[in-house]
């Protein structure tokens, strides 16, 4: 159960003015988690809300989380280089990294994406609804996502959804079932700032002291 919570935190660590297009800036968001399983829910309550800071610039993005229970997580996406670097500094696992390729033609088998009719205004931005069902290996997941095309940034949860999915998510409601365990997660953007971001934030070179995660 602890491993499931750790993997989900690592995965989802990986989140304005008027309706103008933004290609560079900083996004603040948070994720809350709960479960009908009392033991798992107690662990999730100890973790608390996961605060996420995302830096983005052109075709690059960097998402950072830091939580006393789950540790630090950084995800860097470079869509031009078609690579994603994930850094984990976890009290149980230590400092680990993975460097993976982003597929030009992602495998969307087991993923069903339907554009909904509902719209929301979030932080002044018009957002459109997507309903997503994922069934891969032993994981079943449903997602309701509201995205805006006014923010041109990559998101680690949606980068490989393909052409059926457009925009940056400002609100996601996620229900996950794995190995008989159920979990609900809500991801919501709380602030968006248009500002300059240093290129150093998007380096794909793992920092010193990080070891490659075996099996990844």
């Amino acid at each position: 159960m602890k491993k499931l919570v750790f993997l989900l935190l690592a995965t989802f660590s990986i989140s304005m003015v008027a309706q103008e297009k933004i290609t560079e800036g900083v996004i603040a968001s948070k994720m809350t988690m709960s479960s009908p399983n009392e033991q798992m829910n107690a662990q999730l309550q100890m973790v608390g809300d996961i605060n996420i800071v995302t830096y983005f610039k052109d075709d690059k993005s960097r998402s950072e989380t830091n939580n006393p229970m789950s540790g630090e997580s950084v995800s860097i996406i470079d869509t031009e280089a078609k690579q994603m670097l994930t850094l984990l500094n976890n009290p149980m696992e230590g400092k680990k990294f993975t460097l993976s390729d982003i597929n030009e033609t992602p495998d969307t088998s087991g993923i069903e994406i339907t554009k909904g009719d509902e719209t929301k205004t979030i932080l002044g931005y018009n957002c459109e609804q997507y309903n997503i069902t994922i069934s891969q290996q032993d994981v079943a997941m449903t997602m309701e996502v509201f995205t805006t095309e006014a923010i041109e940034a990559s998101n680690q949860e949606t980068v490989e959804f393909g052409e059926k999915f457009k925009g940056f998510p400002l609100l996601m409601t996620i229900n996950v079932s794995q190995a008989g365990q159920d979990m609900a997660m809500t991801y919501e953007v709380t602030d968006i700032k248009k500002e300059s971001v240093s290129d150093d934030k998007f380096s794909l070179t793992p920092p010193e002291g990080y070891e490659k995660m075996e099996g990844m």
Side-chain angles (χ1 to χ4, degrees):
M1 187 176 297
K2 289 184 178 180
K3 184 177 181 181
L4 171 61
V5 173
F6 170 71
L7 289 174
L8 286 169
L9 289 174
T11 302
F12 288 98
S13 50
I14 329 22
S15 209
M16 282 177 209
V17 288
Q19 198 66 25
E20 99 181 274
K21 290 265 188 178
I22 297 180
T23 60
E24 184 176 8
V26 182
I27 297 170
S29 56
K30 68 175 182 178
M31 183 173 66
T32 58
M33 300 179 292
S34 63
S35 171
N37 180 285
E38 292 184 6
Q39 184 179 357
M40 176 177 282
N41 199 55
Q43 292 185 23
L44 296 176
Q45 294 302 311
M46 290 175 64
V47 172
D49 291 347
I50 304 296
N51 294 309
I52 306 166
V53 178
T54 299
Y55 302 87
F56 64 99
K57 184 176 185 178
D58 299 324
D59 52 7
K60 302 177 179 66
S61 70
R62 174 191 179 105
S63 294
E64 301 177 347
T65 70
N66 192 343
N67 184 280
M69 294 295 296
S70 58
E72 300 173 357
S73 173
V74 176
S75 177
I76 300 171
I77 298 172
D78 187 328
T79 54
E80 182 178 3
K82 301 192 183 305
Q83 287 190 310
M84 179 167 65
L85 173 67
T86 301
L87 306 173
L88 303 175
N89 184 2
N90 183 273
M92 296 181 294
E93 305 289 335
K95 293 183 177 182
K96 305 290 184 181
F97 80 88
T98 64
L99 183 61
S100 56
D101 294 330
I102 299 173
N103 295 325
E104 289 190 43
T105 54
D107 179 11
T108 56
S109 59
I111 302 176
E112 182 179 341
I113 301 173
T114 305
K115 193 171 185 299
D117 298 326
E118 189 176 346
T119 61
K120 286 183 183 289
T121 300
I122 302 174
L123 298 177
Y125 282 79
N126 298 327
C127 297
E128 298 188 325
Q129 178 191 43
Y130 287 87
N131 294 303
I132 302 162
T133 301
I134 302 174
S135 180
Q136 295 180 335
Q137 297 178 351
D138 62 342
V139 179
M141 181 184 301
T142 60
M143 304 172 65
E144 182 185 37
V145 187
F146 287 89
T147 73
T148 175
E149 294 188 46
I151 299 176
E152 296 185 356
S154 299
N155 178 271
Q156 72 181 87
E157 287 82 48
T158 62
V159 68
E160 293 194 343
F161 276 175
E163 295 182 355
K164 290 184 178 180
F165 185 92
K166 295 182 180 180
F168 187 90
L170 298 190
L171 177 65
M172 293 192 290
T173 304
I174 306 160
N175 291 286
V176 182
S177 179
Q178 181 178 25
Q181 300 290 349
D182 296 329
M183 181 183 296
M185 291 173 280
T186 300
Y187 165 93
E188 58 181 320
V189 170
T190 57
D191 188 44
I192 301 170
K193 294 180 181 178
K194 182 180 180 180
E195 60 183 57
S196 298
V197 181
S198 171
D199 290 336
D200 295 340
K201 288 282 187 185
F202 310 108
S203 173
L204 292 173
T205 301
E208 186 176 348
Y210 280 77
E211 297 181 356
K212 187 174 183 180
M213 187 177 292
E214 296 300 328
M216 301 295 289

